[in-house]
Amino acid sequence: MAKELTSIEWRSDQWMFQYGGLRPDNVLEYFSQSPFWDSSSNNAVLKMQTQFNDLQHSSYDLKNMVGIEFAVSHQEPPSLFIITKFRRTSPTRAVPLAVYYITDGNTYEAPTLYSIISTRMLSSIKRVEEAFDIARKYSEFHPSIGYTWKETTAQKKARQEALKDIQ
């Protein structure tokens, strides 16, 4: 099972100072320093294979490889970059696995839709359970009449008065 990284924030001020901040041409290099990076990804393999030749900036080979791949899917330089982790199965088919975002140099993994919905449902169910606990305090059960609401003496007297007025 994949390690849960949605609670981690990563930042490297030293890297940003050394390279003059984040730009579209260096954001994946910055991301590769983070704990979110997969060193067995196609990006890492291609980088190792082309680091000493002229193919360094070519993305053509990346599209023809099969496996894990990282790509910048949205950018608003210099403050926001969204990186998507894909599983590429063919040159035309890539399935998104995770989304990461870098905002002002801070890198995060976006939570999955499942984790958002399950958290919201759990908090909703907790509130409903609390409401039932409160309601249970004001009800009572008798085998011959079933459930009834507990009434204080004043409430019972007011109800009986209201019934007399109706009759």
Side-chain angles (χ1 to χ4, degrees):
M1 181 152 175
K3 198 162 108 178
E4 178 65 34
L5 297 175
T6 56
S7 61
I8 294 176
E9 173 189 359
W10 180 83
R11 179 182 182 90
S12 177
D13 290 322
Q14 181 181 358
W15 190 97
M16 287 191 291
F17 179 74
Q18 183 177 354
Y19 291 96
L22 292 175
R23 300 181 308 276
D25 64 317
N26 71 3
V27 70
L28 277 177
E29 180 63 32
Y30 176 75
F31 185 75
S32 72
Q33 307 301 310
S34 76
F36 308 111
W37 182 256
D38 184 349
S39 59
S40 64
S41 68
N42 293 344
N43 303 70
V45 170
L46 192 60
K47 180 182 171 188
M48 292 300 290
Q49 290 176 351
T50 62
Q51 65 182 344
F52 299 113
N53 61 31
D54 294 332
L55 297 174
Q56 285 181 345
H57 304 290
S58 173
S59 63
Y60 175 77
D61 289 329
L62 196 57
K63 299 282 185 201
N64 291 324
M65 297 173 78
V66 174
I68 302 297
E69 173 184 325
F70 292 95
V72 178
S73 53
H74 181 78
Q75 57 188 345
E76 293 178 20
S79 60
L80 177 67
F81 296 92
I82 298 176
I83 298 170
T84 306
K85 180 180 182 179
F86 295 99
R87 178 176 308 283
R88 184 166 293 284
T89 56
S90 73
T92 59
R93 181 161 162 74
V95 178
L97 300 175
V99 177
Y100 307 90
Y101 57 100
I102 301 172
T103 176
D104 294 323
N106 297 321
T107 308
Y108 308 91
E109 180 177 358
T112 62
L113 182 60
Y114 171 80
S115 67
I116 292 171
I117 290 174
S118 66
T119 301
R120 297 288 173 111
M121 287 180 69
L122 186 61
S123 65
S124 298
I125 290 170
K126 180 72 175 150
R127 299 288 182 225
V128 169
E129 183 181 20
E130 289 171 357
F132 276 116
D133 287 343
I134 292 169
R136 192 177 300 122
K137 291 177 186 176
Y138 296 103
S139 68
E140 57 186 20
F141 179 77
H142 190 276
S144 63
I145 58 174
Y147 281 99
T148 58
W149 294 107
K150 291 180 184 176
E151 293 178 314
T152 63
T153 307
Q155 290 171 330
K156 190 172 187 177
K157 186 176 180 183
R159 184 176 53 82
Q160 289 172 345
E161 290 295 322
L163 286 174
K164 283 182 188 177
D165 291 342
I166 293 174
Q167 297 172 351

